[in-house]
């Protein structure tokens, strides 16, 4: 107990008291302060045993889980940074599964295409954003994405919620699971309609 970080002592005491009352095993995770002053994350599991005189002793083990906790912290930080970028980028970020159903839709996608997130989740991305005149080309891009399993770039006509036809650049990346199967794709899109008009005018 002298080695347990002060902030983690209450949870250890609570685990022990509950185990003493119920005689059920307990599991605890917290920080240990080593003699060197370094902190380590430890995970303890223990089984209570009541002796004939009524005293309870615990038998268990404690393992060092510092590496896992460090990896978990890095993963959380990466997820937070990614979530921030997705929310703040001026690029539309759209993720869709193998059935072409939209599962991610960021604020920039709403600005470009006019739909709120609640209006698009679960809907087919082709039915929602691709006019009939662009269907053949977009289907070919989708086939290339499936077959090549890499990134694709294309410029397509798209349709907004209010029926306007706009021109967008698309950057698409296949999403692959651990077995090598394509489970969907992540796309970034930017509206280049005004740029195209300016180039045509020049």
């Amino acid at each position: 107990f002298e080695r347990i970080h002060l902030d983690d002592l209450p949870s250890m005491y609570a685990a022990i008291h509950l185990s003493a009352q119920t005689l059920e095993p307990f599991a605890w995770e917290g920080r240990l302060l080593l003699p060197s002053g370094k902190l380590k994350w430890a995970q303890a599991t223990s089984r209570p045993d009541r002796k004939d005189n009524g005293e309870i002793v615990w038998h268990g083990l404690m393992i060092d889980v510092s590496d896992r906790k460090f990896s978990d912290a890095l993963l959380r930080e990466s997820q937070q940074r990614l979530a921030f970028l997705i929310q703040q980028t001026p690029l539309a970020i759209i993720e869709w599964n193998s059935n072409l159903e939209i599962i991610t839709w960021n604020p920039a996608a709403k600005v470009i295409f006019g739909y709120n997130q609640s209006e698009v989740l679960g809907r087919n991305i082709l039915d929602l954003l691709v006019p009939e005149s662009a269907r053949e080309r977009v289907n070919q891009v989708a086939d290339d994405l499936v077959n090549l399993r890499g990134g694709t770039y294309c410029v397509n006509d798209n349709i907004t919620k209010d029926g306007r036809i706009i021109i967008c650049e698309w950057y698409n990346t296949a999403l692959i699971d651990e077995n090598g199967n394509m489970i969907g794709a992540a796309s970034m899109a930017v509206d280049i309609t005004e740029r195209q008009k300016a180039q045509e005018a020049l």
Side-chain angles (χ1 to χ4, degrees), residues 40 42 44 49 62 69 72 75 78 80 82 100 103-104 108 118 124 126 129 132 141 151 154-155 172 183 189 200:
K40 284 270 190 181
D49 183 28
M62 184 175 285
K69 295 294 288 188
D72 290 346
L75 178 60
S78 296
Q80 290 170 356
L82 178 60
L100 303 182
I103 57 177
T104 297
S118 60
N124 185 291
L126 299 185
L129 302 180
E132 193 62 38
V141 171
C154 59
V155 177
N172 310 294
I183 57 175
E200 291 172 3

Side-chain angles (χ1 to χ4, degrees), residues 18-47:
L18 181 61
S19 181
Q21 292 171 0
T22 63
L23 292 183
E24 292 291 328
F26 79 87
W28 171 86
E29 192 170 272
R31 289 162 293 179
L32 299 179
L33 185 62
L34 303 185
S36 64
K38 185 178 180 180
L39 280 176
K40 284 270 190 181
W41 278 92
Q43 185 180 72
T45 54
S46 191
R47 177 179 56 82

Side-chain angles (χ1 to χ4, degrees), residues 2-200:
E2 293 178 354
R3 293 298 175 200
I4 296 175
H5 192 284
L6 288 176
D7 291 343
D8 296 329
L9 267 176
S11 61
M12 171 60 94
Y13 283 136
I16 289 178
H17 289 159
L18 181 61
S19 181
Q21 292 171 0
T22 63
L23 292 183
E24 292 291 328
F26 79 87
W28 171 86
E29 192 170 272
R31 289 162 293 179
L32 299 179
L33 185 62
L34 303 185
S36 64
K38 185 178 180 180
L39 280 176
K40 284 270 190 181
W41 278 92
Q43 185 180 72
T45 54
S46 191
R47 177 179 56 82
D49 183 28
R50 189 186 298 276
K51 292 184 175 182
D52 293 339
N53 62 4
E55 181 185 9
I56 299 176
V57 295
W58 279 267
H59 306 276
L61 55 88
M62 184 175 285
I63 60 174
D64 184 350
V65 293
S66 300
D67 289 343
R68 176 176 62 79
K69 295 294 288 188
F70 180 68
S71 298
D72 290 346
L74 288 179
L75 178 60
R76 283 194 302 271
E77 290 174 7
S78 296
Q79 291 172 335
Q80 290 170 356
R81 285 195 295 269
L82 178 60
F84 175 80
L85 291 173
I86 288 175
Q87 292 298 312
Q88 299 300 321
T89 179
L91 297 174
I93 304 292
I94 304 171
E95 186 179 342
W96 34 282
N97 62 22
S98 57
N99 295 322
L100 303 182
E101 296 166 340
I102 297 171
I103 57 177
T104 297
W105 184 266
N106 75 335
K110 176 186 182 304
V111 172
I112 293 174
F113 298 106
Y115 293 97
N116 292 316
Q117 184 184 68
S118 60
E119 297 177 288
V120 302
L121 295 184
R123 294 182 63 179
N124 185 291
I125 188 171
L126 299 185
D127 294 341
L128 189 70
L129 302 180
V130 181
E132 193 62 38
S133 59
R135 275 299 181 94
E136 183 177 350
R137 172 172 171 74
V138 172
N139 284 329
Q140 181 59 55
V141 171
D143 289 342
D144 290 343
L145 193 61
V146 172
N147 295 326
L148 300 176
R149 300 297 180 92
T152 62
Y153 166 81
C154 59
V155 177
N156 294 319
D157 287 347
N158 292 110
I159 188 167
T160 65
K161 181 180 180 179
D162 59 8
R164 290 182 299 111
I165 299 297
I166 60 175
I167 304 170
C168 292
E169 283 183 337
W170 288 82
Y171 304 85
N172 310 294
T173 301
L175 301 177
I176 310 298
D177 66 14
E178 62 272 13
N179 298 316
N181 301 314
M182 182 175 170
I183 57 175
S187 300
M188 295 186 297
V190 59
D191 183 355
I192 61 168
T193 307
E194 295 305 317
R195 191 176 81 193
Q196 289 285 92
K197 289 180 180 179
Q199 289 176 345
E200 291 172 3

